[in-house]
């Protein structure tokens, strides 16, 4: 049972592939071995995805916007700077521990359930189909972010390597 709160519901947004266009840094994942340091170091240069940014701004009219990303904690400073530079709503950013290699669908669902214990979650917006499917099965309302080009390398990293 959800706790009643006078605070607004949450709108939960993924970053990579939802708000941030990662296409320019995919090359770091398409080589062997994958260059994770370079991949994350280039995140500050991500162009915003207009559809995702517009949805986050609209959501902020009725909801508190929070961010749920598979990026490791060591990327926090760059991530916060990027969010501010895009004019996105201020909100808490949930990131994975640097040593957490579980699939994104597991880490994200765990955090969603924790958040739902305290607040209503109005929507999750994410580009990862497996995250979306698991969240829907758990009863969450999901918007699939299909406005960025899909990346096989990123999908494999999210599911198989627990990296983003």
């Amino acid at each position: 049972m959800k706790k009643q709160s006078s605070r607004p519901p949450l709108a939960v947004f993924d970053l990579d592939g939802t708000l941030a266009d990662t296409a320019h840094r995919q090359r770091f994942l398409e080589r062997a071995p994958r260059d994770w340091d370079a991949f994350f170091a280039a995140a500050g240069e991500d162009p915003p995805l207009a559809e995702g940014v517009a949805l986050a701004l609209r959501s902020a009219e009725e909801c508190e916007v929070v961010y749920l990303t598979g990026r490791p904690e060591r990327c926090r400073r760059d991530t916060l700077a990027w969010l501010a530079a895009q004019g996105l709503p201020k909100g808490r950013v949930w990131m994975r521990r640097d040593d957490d290699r579980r699939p994104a669908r597991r880490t994200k669902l765990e955090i969603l359930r924790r958040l739902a214990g305290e607040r209503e979650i109005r929507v999750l917006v994410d580009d990862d189909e497996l995250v979306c499917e698991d969240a829907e099965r758990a009863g969450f309302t999901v918007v699939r972010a299909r406005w960025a080009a899909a990346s096989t390398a990123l999908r494999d990293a999210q599911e198989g390597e627990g990296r983003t």
Side-chain angles (χ1 to χ4, degrees), residues 18-21 45-53 82 86 88:
T18 299
L19 296 173
D21 186 350
E45 301 165 21
D46 289 352
L49 291 166
E51 296 89 339
V53 170
W82 186 88
Q86 308 315 313
L88 284 155

